[in-house]
Amino acid sequence: MPKQPAFLGLRHSMKKKQTRREKFLAEMDAVVPWPRMLALIAPHYPKGGRPPMPLETMLRIYFLQQWYALSDPMAEEMLYDSDAMRQFAGIELGDDRIPDETTVLNFRHLLEKYQLTEKLFVEVNAHLTDQGITLRSGTLVDATIIDAPSSTKNEAKARDPEMSSTKKGNDWYFGMKAHVGVDAQSGIVHSLETTTAKAHDSQVWEDLLHGKETSIWADKGYVSAARETAFSGVGKFWGVMRKAPKGSGLHPIDEDINRIIAKVRARVEHPFRVIKRQFGYIKTRYRGLAKNRAQLFTLFALGNLFLVRRKLMA
């Protein structure tokens, strides 16, 4: 006689091994400030007409999209396929309705329409401050290129007009840039700006500083005698990599200073590594800067939580 299938929830509770995905989702579930985030979105979430999906379920699915680089159709597919993702979203297969890809897309459009992802980013950092993870005295400034599809094999038969090309070293890239200001002590991103790829890194300098820095750290692309003079003062350190004068080599003292700066600046790569390697965000998903900008605010907010999750869980 064939064995009767167990209820899904019971079967899950009897598992002897926790998968890496389950462990990751459990950690993030524990550190995301759900009440604060839901309170931000709730005033804009539809309440009339056909009963919508629970707001928390939709936010959890949206976060799953960021952590696993899922398109709207793939998010729906994975909710049918993955027990761990359904459990995280609070969905029981057979008992609860799974949102289709259009519902997932509409929720993302809601966040974009009311610029809620930027507010979520601010709220996460306010939460971290409340938890004692505050901004210190130094800011690391840097930018990273986000590749965009360069193919013209699409409905518009053209590349994204809001993206552009730029050369880095000997290679050309097509896409946009994410510019960040990172706290030198904690490594969390406190400021974010986006531009098309051809914009010079230093163009958004002021937008990346919180204004109370006693030290600023950046690579040679941010060299500016005027900014250095404006920042100088007692107790302040200009940690921008020294550049050799044209036609001559770098002074040995400046070489030593650059080595020190490089060690401190290494921390600025951590948020980029998280969103690109941990979350799999290696290429823009949408056309236009606005939608991709909205997604980047969410990615860096979740990246901040990921970077300090051990401290939050201690």
Side-chain angles (χ1 to χ4, degrees), residues 55-282:
L55 171 56
E56 184 168 347
T57 295
M58 294 309 301
L59 183 59
R60 285 173 175 268
I61 293 170
Y62 176 68
F63 285 171
L64 286 171
Q65 287 186 277
Q66 313 314 313
W67 290 324
Y68 295 101
L70 302 175
S71 64
D72 301 329
M74 188 54 69
E76 178 188 0
E77 192 85 12
M78 289 300 292
L79 287 170
Y80 281 102
D81 193 56
S82 170
D83 288 342
M85 289 190 179
R86 282 197 305 274
Q87 183 186 33
F88 178 82
I91 296 173
E92 188 72 40
L93 194 62
D95 293 339
D96 300 313
R97 181 163 54 100
I98 291 181
D100 59 23
E101 62 178 273
T102 301
T103 304
V104 175
L105 177 145
N106 288 339
F107 183 76
R108 175 169 56 80
H109 283 177
L110 175 83
L111 299 181
E112 294 165 357
K113 178 180 179 181
Y114 296 104
Q115 299 180 321
L116 293 173
T117 62
E118 188 166 350
K119 294 176 182 178
L120 291 176
F121 174 82
V122 172
E123 196 64 32
V124 163
N125 284 350
H127 168 69
L128 295 180
T129 298
D130 291 345
Q131 299 301 308
I133 303 173
T134 57
L135 296 180
R136 306 298 178 182
S137 58
T139 289
L140 312 167
V141 175
D142 205 356
T144 189
I145 298 170
I146 311 293
D147 291 328
S150 58
S151 173
T152 59
K153 294 180 180 179
N154 51 50
E155 189 176 344
K157 296 189 178 351
R159 299 195 303 179
D160 189 337
E162 295 186 28
M163 304 295 165
S164 63
S165 297
T166 188
K167 191 175 184 181
K168 187 175 181 180
N170 295 320
D171 298 318
W172 282 92
Y173 299 88
F174 177 77
M176 63 182 292
K177 281 183 180 178
H179 307 258
V180 297
V182 176
D183 181 59
Q185 184 71 25
S186 65
I188 65 169
V189 177
H190 62 69
S191 307
L192 169 65
E193 268 304 329
T194 57
T195 65
T196 188
K198 68 181 180 182
H200 194 275
D201 294 355
S202 62
Q203 288 183 5
V204 294
W205 173 267
E206 287 77 11
D207 297 321
L208 304 179
L209 304 177
H210 54 68
K212 297 179 180 179
E213 286 88 359
T214 56
S215 64
I216 298 176
W217 311 81
D219 64 27
K220 295 176 185 177
Y222 297 90
V223 169
S224 166
R227 286 176 179 152
E228 182 177 1
T229 300
F231 185 73
S232 63
V234 178
K236 291 189 175 183
F237 179 72
W238 181 253
V240 176
M241 298 282 280
R242 278 37 174 177
K243 204 172 183 179
K246 202 168 185 179
S248 64
L250 200 62
H251 192 279
I253 293 178
D254 287 329
E255 289 180 351
D256 291 338
I257 292 174
N258 277 355
R259 277 192 284 271
I260 295 171
I261 293 173
K263 288 179 181 179
V264 177
R265 280 195 63 252
R267 189 180 286 270
V268 81
E269 297 297 334
H270 296 181
F272 296 149
R273 177 187 56 79
V274 169
I275 70 165
K276 290 186 176 184
R277 302 297 174 218
Q278 180 69 35
F279 299 168
Y281 182 75
I282 57 175

Side-chain angles (χ1 to χ4, degrees), residues 296-311:
L296 281 164
F297 272 107
T298 302
L299 285 165
F300 280 111
L302 295 174
N304 282 347
L305 290 170
F306 178 82
L307 283 168
V308 298
R309 70 193 187 285
R310 305 287 189 223
K311 293 181 181 178

